[in-house]
Structure formats: C-alpha cells, structure tokens
Amino acid sequence: MDRSISRRTLLAAGAGAATGLTLPGAAARAGGGHRTSVRFRLDAEVLDGGEQVTSVTLDTARLGPIDPAGLTTGTFSVHARATSPIPLAPGELIYSEYDLDRPVTAARLDRRGNIVLDLSHGEGQLGGGTLGYIVSRGRNVRLDLVYTITQNAPITLRSGKPITFTRFVQGRLSNPEVDAFSYHVSGSGMKYRLYSPGHRGRGRRPLVVWLHGGGEGASLPDGYYDNETTLRANRGALGFATREAQRIFGGAYVVAPQSTSYWIEDGPRFAPLIREIIQQVARRNPVDRDRIYVAGCSNGGYMSMEMTTVYRDVFAASVPICGVVAPFRGSDEPLITDAELRSITTPTWLVTSLDDTTVPPEPNTIHAHDLIPGSLMTLYEQVVWNGYRFPGHWSWIYVARNDPAIDGTHIWQWMARQRR
C-alpha cells in the first residue's frame, strides 16, 4: 500500500488518511475500461474565517489526455470526516468536527491534465474547515481529515479508452500561502514560521512580527505543539505576505512565533523568547533592524503592546488589534499598567470593533489609545467583509486586508513609512 506520507502531512490528513479510498459504485457496475489506483491532494485556502479545503486534485495527468466533456459534477462524489487529533473525554466539546458529503460544484482539468473537483465552501459553511476549537483547552487544533472519493461513472481519455479507478489514495494538504512559510525552532525551543521575500540580493529588508491570538498556542499537556494554527486560523500573518503587502513594504520577512500556551499567561516571560526569535531571524537574514514591526490580535494585541513596553528601542511601529490591557480572569491588576502604556514610545496604531464582546473596547483598546502618546486608533462599528458579518472580536480581518485608514493613509503604508 502506498503510504509515503510525512508527519507534517499527517497533521492535515490524519493517521488513517492514506486509506481514504472507496471502490467505485456505479462505475464498477458499468464494467469495461482500464482500472487503476490514483492519488489525490487536498487543496486549501485560508479565508477570513479560517482555512477550508476548497478542492481535491486527482493525480491523473500520468494517464494521458482526458476528455473534459466526460467530466461532470456527478462523475465523482466526495465525503469528508474531520476529527480531533487530541483524545477527548466523553461530553468534551469541540467545534467544527464533521462527517458529511462535500458537494462538488465543478469538475475540470488543470493545466497539467489532473482532474480537479471544486468543492462548495465559504464563510460560515459547515464542513470543509481544517481546524477545530476545543472549548476546555481554548485551542484551535488541526483536525484529522479523511476524505473518501467515489467514482460514479468512468472517465474517458481522448483516445476513447474509459478509465475506472479501483482505489483512491489520500495525499497531502496543499495551501501555497501557508506552505510559503518555512518551519523553525528557536534556541529556547519556541517554534515559529517564516516567510522570506524574493530577490534577496536587493539589500536589507523589513521584518513584520505577527503575534497570534489565544486559540493558536500549543497545548503542551496534550503534547500538542504544531506550528500550524498560527497561519491557518486567520489571515493575520498571511496578509503581510501577499503581493500587495510585499509591494508596499518593498519585500518583507514575516515571522509568526507560536506560544507554548497563550501570551497572556505570562507576557513578561514570553517577551524575551519572542525577542530571541527576532534576533535569530535578523542574524540569519538581511533584515533592516530599523524597520522591524510588530502586530498581533487579541492575546497577540496585548503581547504587541507588552513588547513595546519591554523593548522600547526595537520596533519601528506597533499594531495591536483588539488587545487586552485590563485585568484578566478575575485579577485586580491590569495586564499593562497605565504607567507602562504612557511609557510606550513606539508609533502605535490600535484597531478594534465596538461590538467586540470578548475584549470590550472601552477598558482595553480605547483606554490604551488614551494613554499611549501619539497613538492612532481605528474603531469599527462591526466586522463585515465581502458582505459576511463576523464576530465583533475578529477585527484583525480588517488589518489583514489593509482596510484601516486615517486621512487617506492605510495601515500597511503607515507601517512601511516608520523607522526606528
């Protein structure tokens, strides 16, 4: 059996994914034609609400030219099962597990001659996501995905020869945006992902540090530390690696450290570990140390401000999004004191939404804006993108799309102009 699947692939595919196959149904009964096995790949995109499998690509180019006229949305059926990678106790709640049929919206050939089955997907749609949220841990985790493909009718080569597949072998999860970030571990053991710009011979480049929200940290008691969810839960880091952002910044490195728990648990302890990653990236790559920027959402919004209170001469700009500064979980002490907020000298642009019920704006973002000298603030009424309304806490969507603007200057352009 073909099971050449790496540990990294298994994070997406699940331990049983290599056997994600089915005997053909109607196609088997039709008889005739050449029978063979075929591998398939899961193709994913990170939407504003998180990563989804948007299509399945069958490795059919090796068979020869396929007649596209014989491909319809009914030629193949796709079933998906998504389960937690962490064993859960009875009754323990996880959001976004599923076991369902994925509607095929189109069947086509890519430029290599492989069959691509486009799947129904979209914001808020059940089924198709790659992450699940375990409530008791407060963590997003990579779901184990097992896809089963059924062939309902033979396909036909241009030569006229019919083909029926006897076995479908699941391969890797492919997401070009996420895959562009390489895997690293700091000297202290903190994991991080790094996007490197092209044309590295053109002098020193800026560095954007993205600090994730509370759900994207590790769950060490479960032995879970994947270095994946930081890029797949939202477009926070990915936004800075887009063609538009890279043009604005003149080609920037983007680093996304992953906490071993969550930043708010102990910001002062995590600060030097993040600083170590910044130093490591700057030492190994042509980074312009006068153009290091820090941005983060929720827990990461807090950590962005914490970093600028501890390291006042490191960052050219800071973008805290829906960050926490008020007392947290019953504590009487604020996470960041008024004196610390007043001491921040790094140019700061804060972003939040008025309907954020997770991190209320008034005692957090608005309060920080009132105290951080010279800070800017964008305050949205709600979080809506492309006509879909998201939870009010998700204001990082706007920064990932370069939407905040003051006097005609958008937030990425403002960041790119700042120097230490």
Side-chain angles (χ1 to χ4, degrees), residues 23-278:
L23 293 177
R29 294 190 295 273
H34 181 70
R35 298 173 180 271
T36 185
S37 65
V38 64
R39 291 182 64 85
F40 65 91
R41 182 185 75 222
L42 306 181
D43 304 311
E45 299 175 17
V46 178
L47 310 183
D48 290 294
E51 187 179 55
Q52 293 186 19
V53 176
T54 57
S55 64
V56 174
T57 298
L58 281 61
D59 183 19
T60 55
R62 60 186 174 81
L63 301 175
I66 294 172
D67 183 1
L71 289 176
T72 72
T73 57
T75 305
F76 298 92
S77 301
V78 178
H79 186 89
R81 185 169 181 262
T83 56
S84 172
I86 297 173
L88 301 178
E92 197 166 4
L93 186 60
I94 178 172
Y95 291 116
S96 299
E97 280 189 323
Y98 51 89
D99 190 348
L100 45 70
D101 293 329
R102 298 287 311 274
V104 178
T105 59
R108 56 186 173 85
L109 297 174
D110 67 13
R111 59 185 179 85
R112 294 184 176 88
N114 295 312
I115 294 175
V116 179
L117 306 177
D118 291 324
L119 304 176
S120 177
H121 64 278
E123 303 292 1
Q125 181 172 305
L126 177 65
T130 66
L131 302 182
Y133 184 78
I134 303 177
V135 176
S136 62
R137 275 90 164 169
R139 294 291 179 277
N140 283 308
V141 293
R142 287 283 298 282
L143 294 168
D144 288 338
L145 303 178
V146 177
Y147 271 63
T148 303
I149 298 178
T150 301
Q151 185 175 3
N152 303 312
I155 62 170
T156 306
L157 300 184
R158 289 189 180 275
S159 64
K161 182 167 110 174
I163 301 289
T164 296
F165 298 113
T166 57
R167 191 165 69 110
F168 295 85
V169 182
Q170 181 170 323
R172 68 189 182 93
L173 179 76
S174 173
N175 186 328
E177 282 191 300
V178 172
D179 297 342
F181 285 71
S182 53
Y183 293 80
H184 302 271
V185 182
S186 73
S188 298
M190 181 173 282
K191 296 183 178 182
Y192 65 95
R193 300 288 292 271
L194 177 66
Y195 174 83
S196 299
H199 307 295
R200 296 183 57 166
R202 296 184 178 179
R204 298 196 171 274
R205 302 299 188 87
L207 170 65
V208 178
V209 182
W210 173 259
L211 301 177
H212 62 75
E216 288 72 68
S219 183
L220 293 185
D222 298 297
Y224 189 85
Y225 192 16
D226 67 357
N227 207 13
E228 297 283 355
T229 53
T230 53
L231 302 180
R232 300 180 190 271
N234 56 57
R235 297 192 56 80
L238 300 182
F240 290 105
T242 59
R243 182 175 299 178
E244 178 189 0
Q246 289 294 303
R247 176 183 57 79
I248 290 169
F249 283 92
Y253 290 91
V254 184
V255 65
Q258 186 178 32
S259 166
T260 51
S261 57
Y262 57 100
W263 305 122
I264 286 177
E265 181 188 49
D266 194 346
R269 177 174 66 86
F270 284 126
L273 302 182
I274 296 170
R275 172 65 169 143
E276 179 188 23
I277 289 174
I278 294 170

Side-chain angles (χ1 to χ4, degrees), residues 276-325:
E276 179 188 23
I277 289 174
I278 294 170
Q279 291 175 318
Q280 182 171 304
V281 172
R283 185 172 62 250
R284 295 177 177 178
N285 300 279
V287 169
D288 184 344
R289 293 174 185 263
D290 289 331
R291 292 188 293 163
I292 299 177
Y293 311 99
V294 62
C297 63
S298 193
N299 255 249
Y302 150 76
M303 200 65 217
S304 299
M305 287 181 278
E306 178 71 17
M307 292 297 291
T308 58
T309 67
V310 178
Y311 302 106
R312 300 178 186 177
D313 61 347
V314 169
F315 301 102
S318 171
V319 177
I321 309 160
C322 57
V324 187
V325 299

